[in-house]
Amino acid sequence: MVRWRDGRGELSVRGDGEGVLVRVPLEIAASYRARTRGLLGRDSLDGALLLSPANSVHTFRMRMPIDVAYLDRRLRVVAVRTMPPGRLGLPRLRARHVLEAEAGAMEGWGLRVGARLTIDLGSP
């Protein structure tokens, strides 16, 4: 199992089973402090934020609605939700990581339940 560290990388999403590959800038929040801070206080996000380990999120004190994808240990998408500010997401039993992005972004990437994501740590 991969142990992530706080930092940056690139997320690859193979959308809609069409073989189209979308590359997205990624921030990784693996420390307790970084996971707790998450997207609080931000008005926007360029790309996505990976919280690891995590199996649930909340949007209390957030300024924007977000898309949330729950990922299993193999980075396969278990569930995708859009959450407005002030909500508490239920924990997903099979989820080991949570991916957050601005609302509508994941649909644009073609991210769906069952998709497998890859992360490249060598990118910005």
Side-chain angles (χ1 to χ4, degrees):
M1 188 163 100
V2 175
R3 295 239 182 241
W4 303 102
R5 291 187 175 175
D6 293 348
R8 296 189 177 275
E10 185 177 69
L11 176 71
S12 296
V13 179
R14 196 164 297 280
D16 290 337
E18 302 271 328
V20 177
L21 188 65
V22 178
R23 297 184 191 281
V24 178
L26 180 68
E27 295 179 38
I28 299 170
S31 69
Y32 176 78
R33 174 177 256 174
R35 288 191 320 267
T36 302
R37 186 176 2 147
L39 296 176
L40 294 177
R42 296 194 198 186
D43 293 319
S44 65
L45 173 66
D46 179 32
L49 174 68
L50 178 72
L51 305 171
S52 180
N55 67 354
S56 68
V57 295
H58 68 83
T59 58
F60 297 117
R61 297 186 348 206
M62 285 198 184
R63 298 178 180 173
M64 61 185 174
I66 61 171
D67 284 345
V68 178
Y70 298 88
L71 312 175
D72 68 12
R73 66 184 58 175
R74 292 187 176 95
L75 300 180
R76 188 171 307 275
V77 178
V78 175
V80 180
R81 301 283 181 262
T82 299
M83 295 177 61
R87 301 298 165 109
L88 178 63
L90 296 174
R92 303 288 171 171
L93 295 178
R94 292 184 0 225
R96 297 293 179 264
H97 317 282
V98 174
L99 187 68
E100 298 179 339
E102 286 188 14
M106 292 183 185
E107 183 177 357
W109 303 335
L111 190 135
R112 303 279 185 269
V113 171
R116 184 137 183 215
L117 309 178
T118 56
I119 295 174
D120 179 11
L121 298 177
S123 298

